[in-house]
């Protein structure tokens, strides 16, 4: 019973779909899933010629001709149903047809004028060939002499350059010997200082081993030498701090103000409500401002005039 009802329902649905496909008055939409059709033939068109707007084919052909005009007249003429004789038959012929007629001699073609076959004489008439060798023979001896002279000149320049480069050159063995001699001379000169450093270190560290004593003496002697060298080369006016007196200079302005109201108090006197000060006018002798912002006020505002203001481009 259930299978029969499902079959009848499926059959009814197929009939409804077939009715929809056969209905010519149904409105179709491109790309709509309600068209009940997914696959289309290659030559099948959704719009017919009657659905196109009037004048659209002419506009399309005009645009094609405007984009790619036939300036040389090489494009094939379109076929028309007219039987009238053209006024200018030559204008209707294709370019290939005109070339064929020219090749057969049936069509006039402009012939260029022939130039006279005359060779004019040169402008140099002195006939002077002094120091001019017109021979093409190769002189092997001269070539060898030139090559030998250039080689000798190059070798001489190379030898001079090599002597300049190697003038201050020291061989590795001599360089190492010089370093060893300098270290021995330095040790002999610093023997007294090392002995004093050794005695002081042994007094302060009596339990230190011989290796630790030697290492400490070497390090302390080296630090003393570096400190002595720095003090010898250091200028009294030179410090290891940059002079920031100009770059860190601030143009500060201090303003004072009251954040209260100058009003009458319960006892009948006039005073500021923020600090209960009775001074409203500046009493400084040289100050000419009536409401001074430098000497009167319980609040202080510090303004740096050199500080950048990012609030707008006008500041």
């Amino acid at each position: 019973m259930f299978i029969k009802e499902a079959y009848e329902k499926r059959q009814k649905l197929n009939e409804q779909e077939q009715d929809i496909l056969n209905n010519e008055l149904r409105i179709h939409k491109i790309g709509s899933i309600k068209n009940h059709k997914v696959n289309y033939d290659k030559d099948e068109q959704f719009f017919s010629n009657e659905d196109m707007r009037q004048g659209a084919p002419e506009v399309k052909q005009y645009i094609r001709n405007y984009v790619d005009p036939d300036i040389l007249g090489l494009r094939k003429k379109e076929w028309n149903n007219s039987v009238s004789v053209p006024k200018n038959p030559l204008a209707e012929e294709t370019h290939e047809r005109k070339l064929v007629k020219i090749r057969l001699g049936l069509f006039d073609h402009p012939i260029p004028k022939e130039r006279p076959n005359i060779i004019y004489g040169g402008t140099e008439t002195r006939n002077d060939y002094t120091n001019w060798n017109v021979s093409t023979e190769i002189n092997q001896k001269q070539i060898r002499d030139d090559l030998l002279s250039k080689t000798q000149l190059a070798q001489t320049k190379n030898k001079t350059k090599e002597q300049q480069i190697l003038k201050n050159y020291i061989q590795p063995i001599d360089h190492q010997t010089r370093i060893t001699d300098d270290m021995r001379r330095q040790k002999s000169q610093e023997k007294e200082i090392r002995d004093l450093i050794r005695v002081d270190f042994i007094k302060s560290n009596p339990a230190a081993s011989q290796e630790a004593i030697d290492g400490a003496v070497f390090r302390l002697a080296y630090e003393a030498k570096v400190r002595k060298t720095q003090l010898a080369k250091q200028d009294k006016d030179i410090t290891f701090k940059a002079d920031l007196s100009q770059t860190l200079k601030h143009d500060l302005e201090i303003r004072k103000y009251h954040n209260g109201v100058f009003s009458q108090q319960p006892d009948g006197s006039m005073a500021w409500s923020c600090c209960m000060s009775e001074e409203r006018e500046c009493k400084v002798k040289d100050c000419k401002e009536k409401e001074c912002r430098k000497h009167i006020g319980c609040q202080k505002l510090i303004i740096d005039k050199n500080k950048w203001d990012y609030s707008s481009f006008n500041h």
Side-chain angles (χ1 to χ4, degrees):
M1 187 68 180
F2 175 77
I3 297 174
K4 184 177 180 181
E5 291 179 356
Y7 176 76
E8 290 177 355
K9 187 176 181 180
R10 181 66 178 173
Q11 190 69 19
K12 187 177 180 180
L13 183 61
N14 291 337
E15 291 176 359
Q16 292 178 358
E17 292 179 355
Q18 190 66 26
D19 294 337
I20 293 174
L21 292 175
N22 295 332
N23 187 7
E24 296 180 357
L25 299 177
R26 176 176 170 274
I27 300 176
H28 296 276
K29 293 182 179 180
I30 298 177
S32 176
I33 61 174
K34 297 181 180 180
N35 290 334
H36 296 278
K37 190 173 182 180
V38 178
N39 299 323
Y40 295 89
D41 297 335
K42 183 178 181 181
D43 299 333
E44 184 175 357
Q45 296 181 357
F46 188 86
F47 296 103
S48 62
N49 294 331
E50 290 78 9
D51 295 334
M52 299 179 65
R53 184 175 62 84
Q54 186 177 5
E58 290 78 5
V59 174
K60 181 179 179 181
Q61 187 63 31
Y62 173 77
I63 293 174
R64 285 185 175 180
N65 294 335
Y66 181 79
V67 174
D68 187 15
D70 187 15
I71 299 175
L72 300 178
L74 302 178
R75 196 171 297 164
K76 186 178 181 181
K77 300 293 182 179
E78 296 183 358
W79 178 263
N80 53 35
N81 298 326
S82 177
V83 294
S84 62
V85 179
K87 296 181 181 180
N88 187 6
L90 298 178
E92 299 295 332
E93 290 184 348
T94 61
H95 186 67
E96 290 80 2
R97 184 65 179 173
K98 290 180 181 179
L99 293 178
V100 171
K101 285 187 176 183
I102 291 172
R103 190 179 296 109
L104 297 177
L106 303 176
F107 191 75
D108 294 335
H109 185 72
I111 301 174
K113 296 181 180 179
E114 295 184 359
R115 295 182 180 181
N117 191 8
I118 300 174
I119 300 176
Y120 297 94
T123 57
E124 180 62 51
T125 58
R126 293 175 297 181
N127 196 16
D128 185 8
Y129 298 101
T130 306
N131 298 328
W132 179 259
N133 186 9
V134 297
S135 176
T136 57
E137 183 181 0
I138 299 174
N139 190 351
Q140 297 292 340
K141 184 178 182 302
Q142 185 179 359
I143 294 175
R144 286 195 302 269
D145 294 342
D146 294 341
L147 180 60
L148 183 60
S149 61
K150 291 179 180 179
T151 304
Q152 291 177 354
L153 180 62
Q155 290 177 353
T156 304
K157 291 184 177 181
N158 189 18
K159 188 66 175 178
T160 306
K161 189 68 174 178
E162 184 179 355
Q163 290 176 357
Q164 292 178 357
I165 295 174
L166 301 178
K167 182 171 58 176
N168 298 325
Y169 175 73
I170 301 174
Q171 294 185 0
I173 297 176
D174 298 338
H175 184 67
Q176 186 65 30
T177 304
R178 182 178 296 181
I179 293 174
T180 306
D181 295 341
D182 292 341
M183 291 179 66
R184 289 175 180 174
R185 191 182 307 107
Q186 182 180 355
K187 285 183 180 181
S188 62
Q189 293 175 358
E190 298 176 355
K191 186 176 185 304
E192 297 180 0
I193 300 175
R194 288 175 180 270
D195 294 339
L196 295 175
I197 294 174
R198 186 181 298 273
V199 172
D200 295 339
F201 185 79
I202 291 174
K203 287 181 180 180
S204 58
N205 300 281
S209 61
Q210 185 65 31
E211 291 80 5
I213 295 172
D214 295 339
V217 169
F218 180 80
R219 180 176 60 82
L220 294 174
Y222 175 76
E223 292 178 356
K225 180 184 176 183
V226 172
R227 193 179 306 108
K228 183 179 180 181
T229 305
Q230 289 179 353
L231 293 175
K233 293 183 178 180
Q234 183 179 356
D235 191 356
K236 295 181 180 180
D237 299 332
I238 296 177
T239 61
F240 293 99
K241 294 183 180 180
D243 185 11
L244 303 179
S245 60
Q246 298 296 328
T247 57
L248 297 182
K249 187 176 181 180
H250 298 287
D251 187 4
L252 301 179
E253 180 182 355
I254 300 176
R255 295 182 183 179
K256 293 183 179 181
Y257 65 96
H258 292 281
N259 57 355
V261 180
F262 190 77
S263 60
Q264 187 176 3
Q265 302 301 321
D267 57 354
S269 62
M270 301 296 292
W272 292 95
S273 61
C274 54
C275 60
M276 302 306 293
S277 176
E278 297 179 356
E279 295 182 358
R280 187 174 186 181
E281 296 182 358
C282 184
K283 296 182 180 180
V284 179
K285 185 177 180 180
D286 297 334
C287 186
K288 298 180 181 180
E289 297 182 6
K290 186 176 181 180
E291 296 183 358
C292 181
R293 293 293 181 265
K294 294 183 179 180
H295 308 99
I296 298 178
C298 59
Q299 304 294 329
K300 184 185 292 185
L301 178 62
I302 300 175
I303 300 174
D304 187 0
K305 295 183 179 180
N306 294 332
K307 186 177 181 180
W308 287 19
D309 189 357
Y310 299 99
S311 59
S312 68
F313 291 103
N314 298 328
H315 287 74

